[in-house]
């Protein structure tokens, strides 16, 4: 798999405190990667490291395969657009003037894509309105527009949904999806709510106390949370024969239990198994919300 960003045993210490601790993460090309962690988990510190605003204490990271210790890293970073903490916008200027300033900062001679970018983020109709009179969602979209000026293929957004009203949240989500699909931009988005990102993220990294405690694809996460029947039997072989014969969807877990994902008639199932000398020792119906899954994970609870 091709990764846009990889970290290996990344550490960032403030005196004796490890804000980032032996952190390993992998962002596949084309992904919308949700970095989920509560306040103080280390999201902003990690983003600041990747953007080159701070130096790691030890360990390394690679952007497009180039290690942070390589001289080429500065060049490669030009392919990244980022909003760290609050968007870097001038509130006394219009959306267009904010963008023009960014073209100047990046030393881009022509304003070729300016109108396209404003249209893309839904700000082409704001005319002479100064950014100070924008809603929070509009300011956030202007921040993204500024980050788009250098035509990045990797966008890093630190808590882009924080403080937005429901309408603003929808606008930002739709914009991210559009940029991902139409422009092929890979995203790293931090948030402290899993549910907020669950409508767009393709991959997740759960951050707790400076460590990525789990990296998981959307598909796998949904599988882990979906409704299932969990059984423990005294005769695994016979139980599996039964499930195979009846073409039922199941999975054998590491803890010796079997998850059955299809709806079954429980009494028929018990009788059929007992005819095969297979006794059910444990039986549980399970379903988990995404937020619950995350809370169990950071609380160290079971998520199997
Ligand atoms: P939030 O959502 O609250 O911004 P976060 O996940 O982004 O949280 P960070 O801002 O990365 O967390 O902070 C991680 C930890 O590192 C926190 O305990 C914070 O107090 C600590 N920290 C961050 N910057 C510094 C610093 N310059 N000096 C000392 N400690 C720091």
């Amino acid at each position: 798999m091709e990764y846009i960003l990889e970290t290996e045993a990344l550490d960032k210490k403030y005196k004796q405190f490890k804000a980032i601790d032996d952190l390993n993460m992998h962002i596949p090309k084309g992904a919308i990667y949700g970095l989920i962690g509560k306040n103080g988990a280390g999201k902003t510190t990690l983003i600041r490291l990747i953007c080159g605003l701070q130096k790691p204490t030890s360990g390394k990271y690679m952007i497009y395969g180039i290690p942070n210790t390589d001289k080429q890293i500065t060049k490669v970073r030009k392919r990244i657009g980022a909003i760290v903490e609050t968007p870097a916008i001038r509130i006394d200027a219009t959306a267009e003037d904010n963008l023009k300033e960014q073209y100047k900062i990046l030393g881009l001679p022509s304003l070729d894509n300016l109108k396209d970018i404003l249209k893309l983020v839904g700000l082409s109709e704001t005319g002479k309105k100064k950014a100070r009179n924008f809603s929070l969602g509009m300011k956030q979209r202007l921040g993204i527009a500024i980050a788009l000026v250098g035509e990045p293929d990797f966008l890093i957004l630190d808590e882009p949904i924080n403080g937005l009203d429901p309408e603003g949240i929808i606008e930002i989500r739709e914009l991210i999806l559009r940029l991902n699909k139409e422009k092929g931009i890979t995203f790293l988005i931090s948030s402290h709510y899993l549910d907020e990102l669950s409508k767009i993220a393709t991959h997740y990294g759960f951050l707790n106390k400076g460590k990525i405690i789990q990296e998981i694809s959307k598909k796998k996460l949904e599988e882990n949370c979906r409704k299932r029947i969990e059984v423990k039997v005294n005769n695994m072989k016979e139980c599996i024969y039964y499930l195979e014969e009846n073409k039922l969807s199941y999975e054998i877990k590491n803890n010796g239990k079997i998850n059955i994902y299809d709806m079954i008639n429980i009494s028929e199932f018990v009788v059929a198994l007992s005819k095969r000398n297979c006794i059910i020792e444990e039986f549980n119906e399970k379903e988990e919300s995404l937020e619950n899954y995350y809370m169990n994970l950071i609380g160290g609870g079971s998520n199997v």
Side-chain angles (χ1 to χ4, degrees), residues 191-207:
S191 179
H192 46 275
Y193 297 117
L194 175 54
D195 278 348
E196 266 182 9
L197 290 189
S198 65
K199 291 192 176 66
I200 53 172
T202 58
H203 295 77
Y204 298 94
F206 295 110
L207 185 67

Side-chain angles (χ1 to χ4, degrees), residues 131-274:
R132 71 155 52 84
N133 299 318
F134 285 9
S135 70
L136 210 56
M138 288 164 80
K139 284 184 188 145
Q140 199 59 266
R141 282 185 282 133
L142 179 56
I144 295 179
I146 292 170
L148 287 173
V149 169
E151 294 193 29
D153 34 34
F154 181 31
L155 261 188
I156 300 176
L157 308 177
D158 190 13
E159 307 251 9
I161 287 162
N162 221 0
L164 297 188
D165 59 14
E167 199 183 335
I169 293 177
I170 293 169
E171 283 167 2
I172 292 291
R173 269 197 209 128
E174 284 178 353
L175 176 59
I176 292 169
L177 283 173
R178 210 175 325 131
L179 292 171
N180 178 253
K181 290 216 167 63
E182 290 174 15
K183 306 259 172 203
I185 296 176
T186 303
F187 279 88
L188 166 61
I189 307 173
S190 75
S191 179
H192 46 275
Y193 297 117
L194 175 54
D195 278 348
E196 266 182 9
L197 290 189
S198 65
K199 291 192 176 66
I200 53 172
T202 58
H203 295 77
Y204 298 94
F206 295 110
L207 185 67
N208 193 37
K209 296 182 185 156
K211 278 182 190 291
I212 292 280
I213 48 171
Q214 187 175 62
E215 270 190 323
I216 191 166
S217 68
K218 177 191 174 75
K219 188 167 172 275
K220 189 75 191 143
L221 178 66
E222 282 175 358
E223 268 172 29
N224 284 357
C225 292
R226 85 176 138 145
K227 199 167 181 177
R228 60 197 182 268
I229 290 166
E230 185 190 81
V231 290
K232 188 165 184 242
V233 292
N234 71 342
N235 189 339
M236 179 83 99
K237 212 165 120 189
E238 283 301 327
C239 182
I240 287 166
Y241 280 149
Y242 175 85
L243 295 168
E244 288 287 340
E245 278 168 22
N246 289 281
K247 298 189 172 51
L248 295 167
S249 160
Y250 70 93
E251 190 182 9
I252 303 165
K253 306 301 290 182
N254 292 338
N255 56 10
K257 294 180 185 175
I258 304 172
N259 281 348
I260 303 168
Y261 299 107
D262 285 319
M263 293 297 285
I264 52 171
N265 179 315
I266 293 156
S267 40
E268 271 176 24
F269 179 61
V270 174
V271 172
L273 288 195
S274 74

Side-chain angles (χ1 to χ4, degrees), residues 14 17 19 38-45 159 192:
Y14 295 115
F17 176 71
K38 352 183 245 193
N39 290 341
K43 303 180 293 296
T44 305
T45 305
E159 307 251 9
H192 46 275

